[in-house]
Amino acid sequence: MSLHHPLDDATQLNLRADGILTGTTSDAYWNMAGPFGGVTAAILLRGVLDQPERGSDPVSLTVNYCGPIDRGPFDVRVRRVRAGKSTEHWAAELVQERGTAAIALVICGRRRQVWNHQPATPPRTLPPAKLAALEPVGPMQWLRRYRFRFAEGGLRIGDRASLEKAAPAAARSVVWFEDVPARPLDYVSLAALSDAFFLRILHVRSYLVPVATVTLTTYFHADPATLRAHGEAPVLGVADAQVFSSGFFDQTAQLWSGERLLATSTQLVWYRE
Amino acid sequence: MSLHHPLDDATQLNLRADGILTGTTSDAYWNMAGPFGGVTAAILLRGVLDQPERGSDPVSLTVNYCGPIDRGPFDVRVRRVRAGKSTEHWAAELVQERGTAAIALVICGRRRQVWNHQPATPPRTLPPAKLAALEPVGPMQWLRRYRFRFAEGGLRIGDRASLEKAAPAAARSVVWFEDVPARPLDYVSLAALSDAFFLRILHVRSYLVPVATVTLTTYFHADPATLRAHGEAPVLGVADAQVFSSGFFDQTAQLWSGERLLATSTQLVWYRE
């Protein structure tokens, strides 16, 4: 893997003399008023992956987005909460002068050869080469770090005044993702991808409203060999929502490699409408 | 609400002179080798609800089950991680002599009158009065704290030797839940209910295997008025699974009050097969 991919730069952490990991926000993944949340998730995961005592690979990541992240340096404070035979529990916080901006719980677990079963099936779609890529517009740099090809439920953003009386559109979308530039898939990029779906309210309302993810949980179902075998190929994503209520909505997602479910994810998003 | 309901007793916390909350495990909600995980989730949520500085109601709860919980006393250490205009972020740990046994992240958020929309719809089922209640068997006391009435995908546990070559059964089930004795619904009981679904592998395999939830995330979509209006009526639950892979499977759930989605939930479960 190239050490100079922008995602590796954005998630790079250095060990300071006092034992705390430190990093710096990346302009390459900047969103509107702060970093793309997927990179924040990837940074906190990487804080755990970088621990020398870690003995197994990630199975679960929950990130709570607590406050704004300012452009510039941050600390990542990592703690092993408890370790057992099958699982290790870690906590990680991204801290700046204003306090904790994001807090994560990470579980690493020993995968074993056991009975496997996958009730979920991927959607049937056209291959990515047959679908047009989204043309990134606007100032959000993170949109330029992915190639999005919608196979179902594409994003159309229009004028609020003419759309707010319209019936809600479908929350579900199916999209092919690729890192730009290409990068072999690993847990760090999978964590970022699990937050790379557009927030469902944009699909449902088709105009811009204030939104912010408050918490994201991703379960990693793929072992390292499956991720290596996937390589740099596009990942197929499916996202949906169940309910928008009183200023918070949920969002669910799947990430697929061919017939295999790599990760499933859920998030809760604050919105104003 | 009765102060003597076993769920209120099981989640009761007392403030010790050093400012730490303390509680004691409840035999009334005992599972196989420790407390029912739903009560552990409810205890950690209650640790946050009991904080005098709290200014809003829960919207999200993630609990990571880190290690065994011994019968007897425990501490609950609660910390406000960050508070903003719309959300408050809390962390809570259940600690015993052997260390942290469970760690939770809780988000409380200000609900507002905004545009609402619910793409999800409840399953059509028979009313609970027309369905037989599960007869609790075995030593697990927590099973006696709920009345389960399966409307779809009931639980049948048989002999492994005769079943392990059988095709996997459906992971999905639809079940009516009631607290026993009856208790008005609130966030504490909703948190416990979100973990009261049988683990999906028992439905899919139809025999007992070693299982343990490692993490549970529940989003609360209902405001306090909706919970009060629901009262002591049965809650309809829907649960499913997407993938069982290498010793970990996911489980998703919905909790319904009539046409309204009260909560959605996901968990990751360790299994050996």
Side-chain angles (χ1 to χ4, degrees):
Chain A
M1 178 191 320
S2 161
L3 288 174
H4 299 295
H5 191 282
L7 186 62
D8 297 298
D9 290 341
T11 59
Q12 193 191 314
L13 300 173
N14 299 305
L15 193 63
R16 205 166 53 199
D18 63 2
I20 302 289
L21 294 169
T22 65
T24 306
T25 60
S26 163
D27 289 343
Y29 285 92
W30 205 252
N31 192 6
M32 301 281 265
F36 160 51
V39 157
T40 304
I43 286 167
L44 290 167
L45 179 64
R46 192 152 166 198
V48 171
L49 296 179
D50 283 358
Q51 299 299 313
E53 319 91 287
R54 182 177 60 88
S56 54
D57 294 302
V59 297
S60 172
L61 166 68
T62 291
V63 181
N64 282 16
Y65 299 91
C66 308
I69 298 179
D70 298 315
R71 192 174 251 118
F74 53 80
D75 290 357
V76 173
R77 299 187 188 165
V78 181
R79 173 168 73 105
R80 193 168 73 171
V81 176
R82 185 95 177 235
K85 267 188 307 184
S86 309
T87 51
E88 294 163 54
H89 289 264
W90 297 85
E93 293 187 43
L94 190 152
V95 183
Q96 288 186 320
E97 277 188 20
R98 291 201 267 170
T100 297
I103 183 168
L105 297 179
V106 174
I107 305 173
C108 296
R110 288 184 203 285
R111 292 184 170 85
R112 287 156 299 113
Q113 299 289 334
V114 289
W115 171 83
N116 291 337
H117 175 50
Q118 186 185 280
T121 53
R124 299 292 145 215
T125 72
L126 287 172
K130 302 232 167 183
L131 294 163
L134 188 76
E135 203 59 58
V137 292
M140 291 181 280
Q141 289 305 307
W142 80 272
L143 293 179
R144 296 176 168 79
R145 298 280 75 75
Y146 295 103
R147 190 169 295 114
F148 302 88
R149 300 176 194 264
F150 282 100
E152 188 186 321
L155 191 68
R156 267 173 297 273
I157 294 298
D159 177 56
R160 175 170 187 147
S162 63
L163 289 164
E164 65 185 349
K165 300 268 185 265
R172 178 181 151 105
S173 65
V174 177
V175 58
W176 290 100
F177 293 111
E178 285 165 276
D179 279 292
V180 178
R183 181 183 181 283
L185 193 64
D186 61 10
Y187 291 109
V188 168
S189 62
L190 201 52
L193 268 183
S194 73
D195 194 40
F197 296 89
F198 293 111
L199 295 177
R200 295 300 96 189
I201 199 165
L202 305 180
H203 287 273
V204 170
R205 297 298 261 165
S206 302
Y207 54 84
L208 295 176
V209 297
V211 279
T213 295
V214 293
T215 178
L216 167 74
T217 289
T218 300
Y219 299 151
F220 301 105
H221 304 294
D223 61 13
T226 301
L227 298 183
R228 274 194 301 276
H230 181 89
E232 298 183 353
V235 169
L236 185 65
V238 183
D240 209 340
Q242 300 176 87
V243 63
F244 303 72
S245 178
S246 309
F248 295 91
F249 69 85
D250 82 315
Q251 177 158 332
T252 58
Q254 300 173 326
L255 292 166
W256 291 93
S257 173
E259 300 292 315
R260 293 194 67 161
L261 194 47
L262 299 173
T264 52
S265 181
T266 185
Q267 60 180 269
L268 191 73
V269 183
W270 171 91
Y271 70 99
R272 203 171 64 211
E273 237 282 34
Chain B
M1 180 191 320
S2 161
L3 288 174
H4 298 294
H5 190 281
L7 185 63
D8 297 299
D9 291 341
T11 60
Q12 193 191 315
L13 299 172
N14 299 305
L15 193 63
R16 205 166 51 199
D18 63 1
I20 302 289
L21 294 169
T22 64
T24 306
T25 60
S26 162
D27 289 344
Y29 285 92
W30 205 251
N31 192 6
M32 300 282 266
F36 160 51
V39 158
T40 304
I43 286 166
L44 290 166
L45 179 63
R46 193 152 165 197
V48 171
L49 296 179
D50 283 357
Q51 299 299 313
E53 318 92 287
R54 183 177 60 87
S56 54
D57 294 302
V59 297
S60 172
L61 166 69
T62 292
V63 181
N64 282 15
Y65 298 91
C66 308
I69 298 179
D70 298 314
R71 191 174 251 119
F74 53 79
D75 290 357
V76 173
R77 298 187 188 166
V78 181
R79 172 168 73 104
R80 193 168 72 171
V81 176
R82 185 96 177 234
K85 265 187 306 183
S86 309
T87 52
E88 294 163 53
H89 289 264
W90 297 85
E93 293 188 43
L94 190 152
V95 183
Q96 288 186 319
E97 277 189 18
R98 292 201 267 172
T100 296
I103 183 168
L105 297 178
V106 175
I107 306 173
C108 295
R110 287 185 203 284
R111 291 184 171 86
R112 286 156 298 113
Q113 298 290 336
V114 290
W115 171 84
N116 290 337
H117 174 50
Q118 186 185 281
T121 53
R124 298 291 146 218
T125 71
L126 287 172
K130 302 231 169 186
L131 294 162
L134 188 75
E135 202 58 58
V137 293
M140 291 181 280
Q141 288 306 308
W142 79 272
L143 294 180
R144 295 176 170 80
R145 299 281 73 76
Y146 294 103
R147 189 169 295 113
F148 302 88
R149 299 175 195 264
F150 282 100
E152 188 186 322
L155 191 68
R156 267 172 297 274
I157 295 298
D159 177 56
R160 174 169 188 150
S162 63
L163 289 164
E164 67 183 350
K165 300 269 187 265
R172 178 182 151 102
S173 65
V174 177
V175 58
W176 290 101
F177 292 111
E178 285 165 277
D179 279 292
V180 176
R183 182 183 179 283
L185 193 64
D186 61 10
Y187 291 109
V188 168
S189 63
L190 200 53
L193 267 183
S194 73
D195 194 41
F197 294 89
F198 294 110
L199 295 176
R200 296 299 97 190
I201 199 166
L202 304 180
H203 287 272
V204 170
R205 297 298 262 166
S206 302
Y207 53 83
L208 295 175
V209 298
V211 279
T213 296
V214 293
T215 178
L216 167 74
T217 288
T218 299
Y219 299 152
F220 302 104
H221 304 294
D223 61 14
T226 302
L227 298 183
R228 273 194 301 274
H230 181 89
E232 298 183 355
V235 169
L236 185 65
V238 183
D240 208 342
Q242 300 177 86
V243 63
F244 302 73
S245 178
S246 308
F248 295 90
F249 69 84
D250 82 314
Q251 178 159 329
T252 58
Q254 300 173 327
L255 292 167
W256 292 92
S257 173
E259 300 292 316
R260 293 193 68 161
L261 194 46
L262 299 172
T264 53
S265 180
T266 185
Q267 61 180 271
L268 191 72
V269 184
W270 171 90
Y271 70 99
R272 203 170 66 212
E273 236 283 34

